[in-house]
Amino acid sequence: MPATATATATASFTVTNWNEQPATDEKDVKTTHTKVTKKYSGEIEGSSEADMIMAYGQVKGSAAYVGFDRMAVSLNGRSGTFLLQYSVSASAAGMSS
């Protein structure tokens, strides 16, 4: 079996644009379509544009979202683009992904 290498890179990001539009506003749940632009700095440099569907629950602090980030970044002198997919849920106690 071939050996695999694992590497870690760190970066921080700043949200440069947040555009959240209502999709529904039902009595018991609110959903939105959100577009987010981020700028990354650190070992990873670049930007991303995200499309997310968000749902807010009745309990304060409860929410969930799924999204895709179109990443255009550079790392160790190499640059490229890729699509990052994720899902997150949150409650008053914290977040999980």
Side-chain angles (χ1 to χ4, degrees):
M1 178 176 275
T4 59
T6 301
T8 302
T10 60
S12 59
F13 68 85
T14 303
V15 174
T16 57
N17 187 41
W18 182 280
N19 183 359
E20 188 171 355
Q21 298 296 317
T24 63
D25 197 0
E26 305 293 328
K27 181 179 179 181
D28 56 344
V29 68
K30 171 185 169 186
T31 59
T32 64
H33 180 209
T34 306
K35 292 186 175 279
V36 181
T37 305
K38 301 172 194 165
K39 179 176 172 129
Y40 294 85
S41 60
E43 293 175 285
I44 300 170
E45 295 279 337
S47 62
S48 72
E49 293 181 1
D51 283 298
M52 300 185 300
I53 301 294
M54 305 177 81
Y56 298 92
Q58 289 179 325
V59 176
K60 183 176 174 87
S62 66
Y65 61 92
V66 295
F68 290 93
D69 275 29
R70 289 174 301 283
M71 309 287 293
V73 296
S74 63
L75 172 65
N76 292 331
R78 298 181 69 184
S79 60
T81 61
F82 61 94
L83 189 64
L84 177 67
Q85 183 265 327
Y86 49 88
S87 61
V88 177
S89 60
S91 69
M95 298 179 84
S96 67
S97 56

